[in-house]
Amino acid sequence: MMKRLFWIVLFFALATFGAGCASTPSKFYTLSPTAEPGGAVASYSVAVGPVTVPAMIDRPQMVVNVGPNQVGIDEFNRWASPLPNDMARVVAENLSKILGTPLVSVFPQATADGASYRVLIDVMRFESAPGKSTTLDALWTVRRAKEGASRAGRTTVNETVKEQSYAGLVAAHSQALGRLSTDVAEAIRALESGRP
């Protein structure tokens, strides 16, 4: 009888624990464009992508730094879409505002075919320290379709996280992508004007 009672109690305890875990809601986040309109209006088109990211962060869950050489994977705070796609979308939206052209798309969408410029981004570091800071370190290349002229650069940005929340963390990453977008826009303008 005691053995049977033990198994019944264990079953209900596990069922209650499982129900508690299943009822914890996940929160989903997206990056946001932060650029301000640049004033001038451009007639050329730009295709952004692909964007590559380190395998460690290429997952739905947010990866956060919890100590030296240690990260945590947060099961309940997630990216709403694949991170490389979200980054490409935000950079494209930023470039559209900065360059003053609606003709900015994300590769490999059909509208990206025949773009005047192609932007490739290789993210080396995308670190998140909740309540502290974010780090973005990315190599990028802008290539003109017409004759293949290109410019390459590296953007490294550390942003302070202004609030103790994942929303604050995502806002800081969005600011960092805004800085990267500004660097890329400057390279496109330089190629367009023929500056060395």
Side-chain angles (χ1 to χ4, degrees), residues 1 3 15-16 25 29 40 52 66 74-75 89 94 97 103-105 107 117 124 129 153 161 168 173 179 181 191:
M1 181 67 178
K3 190 173 186 181
T16 303
Y29 298 89
T52 59
V66 294
D74 192 318
E75 292 293 338
R89 176 189 61 81
N94 282 335
K97 287 181 183 178
L103 305 175
V104 183
S105 58
F107 183 84
Y117 292 93
M124 309 299 290
V161 177
H173 277 306
R179 293 268 303 279
S181 302
L191 283 168

Side-chain angles (χ1 to χ4, degrees), residues 122-136:
D122 185 13
V123 176
M124 309 299 290
R125 290 170 57 211
F126 187 81
E127 296 177 355
S128 306
K132 295 179 184 172
S133 65
T134 63
T135 300
L136 171 67

Side-chain angles (χ1 to χ4, degrees), residues 90-116:
V90 167
V91 170
E93 288 184 42
N94 282 335
L95 289 175
S96 181
K97 287 181 183 178
I98 296 167
L99 298 172
T101 176
L103 305 175
V104 183
S105 58
V106 176
F107 183 84
Q109 293 176 355
T111 53
D113 289 342
S116 308

Side-chain angles (χ1 to χ4, degrees), residues 74-91:
D74 192 318
E75 292 293 338
F76 302 108
N77 290 287
R78 296 173 170 248
W79 297 107
S81 62
L83 194 52
N85 297 3
D86 207 25
M87 288 178 170
R89 176 189 61 81
V90 167
V91 170

Side-chain angles (χ1 to χ4, degrees), residues 50-64:
V51 174
T52 59
V53 299
M56 178 178 66
I57 62 165
D58 195 8
R59 62 182 71 234
Q61 304 92 335
M62 286 198 179
V63 177
V64 295

